[in-house]
Amino acid sequence: MRPLDEAETTVVFEKLLKFTGNNPKNIVESPAHRYCFRLQKNRVYYVSEALVKRATNISRKNLVAMGTCVVRFTHGGKFHLTVQCLGLLAVNAKHKVWLK
């Protein structure tokens, strides 16, 4: 897993900020842990920094997934939010909807 580069970070945060408001600090820093975004193949994972430090002992070839998959990049460079991202968006959403 590697950290996102500048272009990937801006694309991901622009999309997430549409749903969560103008403060990206709410996404990355929670009261209990600090979180970061990591890229593995074509998927972006939302992972606590403590887990990232522990995962450095595992080779990239053997590492399948870590954390919550929030974004999947396509071959054309576009990306799609995944269903697992709903947990992150629900906590930080600026507009909430309840369905019965």
Side-chain angles (χ1 to χ4, degrees), residues 65-78:
M66 179 176 69
T68 304
C69 181
V70 290
V71 173
R72 186 179 66 84
F73 281 98
T74 63
H75 293 289
K78 296 181 181 179

Side-chain angles (χ1 to χ4, degrees), residues 31-70:
H33 300 286
R34 288 183 50 94
Y35 287 90
C36 58
F37 292 98
R38 297 290 178 191
L39 183 74
Q40 175 73 11
K41 297 184 181 175
N42 63 345
R43 299 180 190 273
V44 176
Y45 292 92
Y46 180 68
V47 186
S48 70
E49 288 184 352
L51 187 59
V52 171
K53 289 179 184 177
R54 290 186 194 122
T56 56
N57 298 332
I58 302 170
S59 67
R60 285 187 184 183
K61 185 176 116 182
N62 294 333
L63 186 64
V64 176
M66 179 176 69
T68 304
C69 181
V70 290

Side-chain angles (χ1 to χ4, degrees), residues 2-22 24 27-28 37-39 44 71 73 77-79 81:
R2 69 167 177 84
L4 299 175
D5 64 4
E6 229 15 76
E8 294 165 343
T9 303
T10 55
V11 168
V12 169
F13 271 109
E14 283 177 1
K15 186 69 152 192
L16 289 176
L17 292 178
K18 286 182 184 178
F19 298 105
T20 61
N22 292 328
I27 298 171
V28 179
F37 292 98
R38 297 290 178 191
L39 183 74
V44 176
V71 173
F73 281 98
K78 296 181 181 179
F79 69 96
L81 294 175

